[in-house]
Amino acid sequence: MLRLILQILAWLRGGSLNLLTIAGVILIIWGILSPIGTVIWWLGQSAETLGIKKSPPGILPSNNGNLEARKSSPINCYIIFLPGVGDFSGNELTPGEEFFLKRLVKSHPQCVAVGDIFPYSASNKSLGGQRLLAPFWRFAEHAKSGPIAGDIFIKIRNLWRFAISLDYRYGFAYNQGIANVIIDRMNAQSPIAANPQKPLQVILIGTSGGAQVALGATRYLKEWLNAEITVVSVGGVFSGENGFAEADRIFHFRGTRDAIEDIGGIVFPTRWYWYATSPFNQARSQGRYAEAFSGPHKHDGDDGYFGENVAGNGKKYVDITLEKINQLPVWSEGAAKRED
């Protein structure tokens, strides 16, 4: 079996036409099968875990257990980072993304950063953790050179998960799964207060498809946590439906050289300005949504939002992004409510 897999992988390296052919086949297969994993995961969860019943999810803290640690923790702010569709796992941040999160926490010591979430799996399972297809995904992860980058398969696969987050049939299950993962990793990073006197600050920062997944999870995070939730899209591609009614604030940054970011505003009617009743336009008219240019960023790569190349102004692209996000009015308790 292993020999057969290796022969197939060798064939894939054979040229552009082979890669294009198999990419098209995978695109069709993933389009048909992508929801299955989410449905199977969902069927295996309890109603309480998923928040279908009135009681909160089981992973939320109770009044018992490690109470002193929860009371004494100075942390009242969680920065959740959700990467783009090119990621292989939840612990695969680029050097620029790691630098960005470390500097952000250094500037805001009341916050902790959560950067180990894979937004393209409802159970936070990396592609390498899928026993049957793990060899193929590892090949795709490492085959980034050549006529066509091998990681195109990872992007195709993750794009289908992005689509599930949007889907009216399966999105509710997928987005609840991601919200569960977010709370679990928040609690692992710093214990969540059982009964916080003030709402927590939860700041979801998503880039590319991660912005849509962040918005999809917002409804459930708002329901399950006593928190003010801010979504920051950094070159994000998203519809105008999920999350806009529940988020306290949404900020969207776009690079002047980012052509991918434009896709969301074109293909999703809920983003069109004349669709006045869409959640997106309602949030915009209420002053809860704002967008701005971040700088001369491309969508990704060394000139992207978290790139380490030096821009024309002498600053690294990631530093430009960091400056913009540091200027947002969300870094003090109750910021969203005071602005309303």
Side-chain angles (χ1 to χ4, degrees):
M1 180 64 180
L2 179 60
R3 185 176 180 181
L4 176 61
I5 292 174
L6 292 175
Q7 289 176 342
I8 293 173
L9 298 183
W11 177 79
L12 289 174
R13 291 181 179 272
S16 302
L17 182 60
N18 290 346
L19 283 171
L20 285 173
T21 301
I22 198 67
V25 172
I26 289 176
L27 182 65
I28 295 171
I29 293 174
W30 277 113
I32 297 171
L33 300 181
S34 281
I36 294 177
T38 298
V39 172
I40 292 173
W41 169 86
W42 181 77
L43 290 174
Q45 307 303 303
S46 67
E48 289 84 357
T49 300
L50 291 170
I52 295 173
K53 293 187 177 180
K54 294 295 184 181
S55 56
I59 54 177
L60 282 175
S62 66
N63 291 322
N64 303 319
N66 204 18
L67 185 58
E68 291 303 317
R70 298 184 193 281
K71 284 183 176 179
S72 61
S73 174
I75 299 303
N76 64 356
C77 165
Y78 293 83
I79 301 168
I80 318 297
F81 185 77
L82 301 179
V85 296
D87 266 34
F88 179 84
S89 67
N91 55 0
E92 196 201 36
L93 298 182
T94 67
E97 290 169 344
E98 290 182 352
F99 170 82
F100 167 80
L101 288 178
K102 288 179 180 178
R103 288 291 298 274
L104 205 55
V105 169
K106 186 176 181 180
S107 299
H108 309 286
Q110 79 278 15
C111 301
V112 292
V114 180
D116 58 351
I117 295 172
F118 185 45
Y120 309 104
S121 167
S123 58
N124 207 32
K125 183 182 293 185
S126 74
L127 298 185
Q130 300 180 9
R131 294 196 325 187
L132 181 61
L133 293 176
F136 175 78
W137 294 124
R138 291 193 185 101
F139 158 78
E141 167 68 3
H142 295 293
K144 293 184 177 180
S145 59
I148 298 179
D151 61 347
I152 187 174
F153 304 123
I154 293 175
K155 293 180 179 178
I156 291 171
R157 182 263 180 205
N158 289 345
L159 278 171
W160 280 116
R161 293 304 192 274
F162 162 87
I164 292 174
S165 178
L166 290 163
D167 194 283
Y168 70 94
R169 298 163 298 178
Y170 311 107
F172 78 96
Y174 188 84
N175 294 328
Q176 286 183 65
I178 295 297
N180 269 274
V181 169
I182 289 173
I183 293 174
D184 176 68
R185 302 321 302 158
M186 286 171 58
N187 200 43
Q189 189 67 30
S190 180
I192 300 172
N195 293 296
Q197 294 181 347
K198 297 180 180 180
L200 297 172
Q201 292 290 107
V202 177
I203 301 168
L204 300 163
I205 302 178
T207 184
S208 189
Q212 173 59 48
V213 178
L215 286 163
T218 294
R219 169 187 170 186
Y220 305 102
L221 294 175
K222 193 69 175 178
E223 179 181 344
W224 296 340
L225 296 173
N226 178 17
E228 293 180 6
I229 298 180
T230 299
V231 179
V232 181
S233 162
V234 184
V237 179
F238 53 88
S239 76
E241 188 70 35
N242 295 341
F244 282 91
E246 295 82 14
D248 293 284
R249 293 298 300 268
I250 306 102
F251 299 95
H252 175 54
F253 289 108
R254 52 195 300 189
T256 57
R257 296 191 293 159
D258 183 359
I260 303 298
E261 174 276 334
D262 292 334
I263 293 174
I266 295 172
V267 303
F268 297 118
T270 47
R271 290 274 304 276
W272 300 349
Y273 285 159
W274 53 82
Y275 193 162
T277 59
S278 74
F280 168 81
N281 282 308
Q282 289 293 307
R284 188 171 61 88
S285 64
Q286 293 165 6
R288 293 186 294 108
Y289 173 84
E291 63 180 55
F293 285 108
S294 61
H297 297 100
K298 292 184 178 180
H299 190 69
D300 52 19
D302 293 333
D303 290 358
Y305 299 97
F306 306 99
E308 297 187 282
N309 278 357
V310 177
N313 60 4
K315 297 180 180 178
K316 290 184 178 181
Y317 287 97
V318 63
D319 285 325
I320 298 172
T321 301
L322 185 63
E323 286 182 4
K324 291 290 186 180
I325 291 181
N326 267 328
Q327 293 169 7
L328 292 175
V330 300
W331 299 110
S332 58
E333 294 182 85
K337 289 185 177 179
R338 286 198 299 271
E339 286 206 348
D340 286 345

